[in-house]
Amino acid sequence: MNVKTLGQFVIEKQADFPYAKGELSRLLRDIGIASKIVNREVSKAGLAEILGETGDTNIQGEKVKKLDVFANEQFIAAFKAGGEVCAIASEETEDIISIDSEISKTAKYVVAIDPLDGSSNIDVNVSVGTIFSIYRRKSLSGPGTLEDFMQRGTEQVAAGYVIYGSSCMMVYTTGKGVNGFTLDPSIGEFCLSHPNMQTKKDGLVYSVNEGNYLHFPDGIKKYIKYCQEEDKATQRPYSSRYIGSGVADIHRNLITGGVYIYPCTTKSPNGKLRLLYECNPLAFILEQAGGKASTGEKRIMEVDLKELHQRTPLIIGSANMVDTVMDFIKKYASQTA
Ligand code: AHG
Ligand code: MN
Ligand code: MN
């Protein structure tokens, strides 16, 4: 059988970076291991209470942990044990976690993470994910600082996501294309299944929470109507697909072609999604796959990060579809201005 594991692949690719000493490879391996543990727990989610009651998982009588807290702890533990990062930023933690340990003193990287994306979908057996983003530190040594994270998305060294779906998959980029690995549970390894992933320039799917329609900017409202119109030449109407797990929606659109939109609304003028550990890593992947990611005004990866948990509107996916959304935004912004 001709399988290439994530571990083998990462080591082979290290040759693309002549000065690499293997730290990034080890960091990606750490993420792979933590995500396998999270996958194991996610796949048992429906059993949590049964197992808890029989005492199988909960000898101490502790309350069964929520999976987003569990995932957060697993990734933090993996990063601390791995020694390749000097600080972690997580959606689940208000401040950064500086790592003050002997093995992390000389660590070159910091990592930002959404440990469990789409967590509201867990109770209903729908795909969830993990998103990660890796930067080179700015500080020189010792525990990492907040400043180490205050970088633009264009500075990312690597980014990726794991999707805990009908199969478990890891997709990542180091800026030289995008590769996807599917977990083979029989051998416990992520195996290269989607080499050099590219997304279509034009897709036939739009993904947006239309429940918020009344609060969307005019340009987005008009774009949604455009998607619904009949037009043979552009194969409209497009299909509407929205899971409510960003990783799963964006992963599907990456494979089939499509656009995912989480716009600003009258209630949330900056949108909902976070720049550091949701939008930037997903933008890096989509751009590397030939797609685009925008706030509606500018490229996501060129936005300055001023606060750790900063939010931004997001339009991401097939390049021509993102451009069309931008055209609508421009057109209707100038009309109402
Ligand atoms: P998280 O579970 O990490 O808080 O992220 C949820 C995000 C994202 O995954 C999803 O696309 C979006 O929120 C869904 O939001 P709505 O329910 O407002 O549509
Ligand atoms: Mn999220
Ligand atoms: Mn989350």
Side-chain angles (χ1 to χ4, degrees), residues 169-332:
M169 211 178 148
M170 186 197 285
V171 173
Y172 83 93
T173 183
T174 53
K176 293 188 187 292
V178 180
N179 291 284
F181 301 79
T182 302
L183 181 65
D184 179 343
S186 68
I187 58 169
E189 293 275 8
F190 283 105
C191 300
L192 182 61
S193 52
H194 295 62
N196 195 19
M197 295 171 85
Q198 285 287 304
T199 196
K200 290 182 183 151
K201 292 283 170 223
D202 292 283
L204 302 173
V205 169
Y206 72 103
S207 310
V208 61
N209 184 345
E210 287 185 60
N212 296 328
Y213 184 87
L214 290 179
H215 303 285
F216 287 161
D218 283 348
I220 299 293
K221 286 182 179 164
K222 300 283 187 202
Y223 178 75
I224 292 172
K225 289 296 160 212
Y226 164 88
C227 292
Q228 297 168 346
E229 278 162 19
E230 300 271 348
D231 179 56
K232 274 223 168 80
T234 52
Q235 292 178 263
R236 283 178 289 148
Y238 297 150
S239 289
S240 164
R241 295 281 181 272
Y242 191 78
I243 301 170
S245 261
V247 168
D249 277 310
I250 291 165
H251 176 73
R252 180 203 52 241
N253 290 0
L254 165 59
I255 289 177
T256 63
V259 66
Y260 172 98
I261 306 172
Y262 209 109
C264 54
T265 63
T266 43
K267 285 183 183 161
S268 333
N270 298 320
K272 173 183 182 186
L273 302 178
R274 316 293 182 138
L275 181 59
L276 179 63
Y277 42 78
E278 292 181 317
C279 300
N280 269 334
L282 293 167
F284 192 17
I285 290 169
L286 259 291
E287 284 197 8
Q288 283 292 315
K292 284 191 174 179
S294 167
T295 65
E297 279 171 11
K298 66 193 287 193
R299 187 177 168 213
I300 283 284
M301 292 206 288
E302 289 177 3
V303 177
D304 286 324
L305 187 79
K306 298 193 177 109
E307 280 170 45
L308 204 60
H309 298 284
Q310 186 170 320
R311 297 176 197 267
T312 176
L314 175 67
I315 298 145
I316 189 167
S318 294
N320 293 342
M321 295 183 90
V322 173
D323 284 343
T324 305
V325 180
M326 306 267 287
D327 290 344
F328 271 87
I329 292 174
K330 257 185 227 129
K331 185 168 167 198
Y332 290 96

Side-chain angles (χ1 to χ4, degrees), residues 68 91-92 114-119 278:
D68 39 11
E91 186 196 27
E92 298 294 327
D114 178 354
L116 212 65
D117 175 68
S119 38
E278 292 181 317

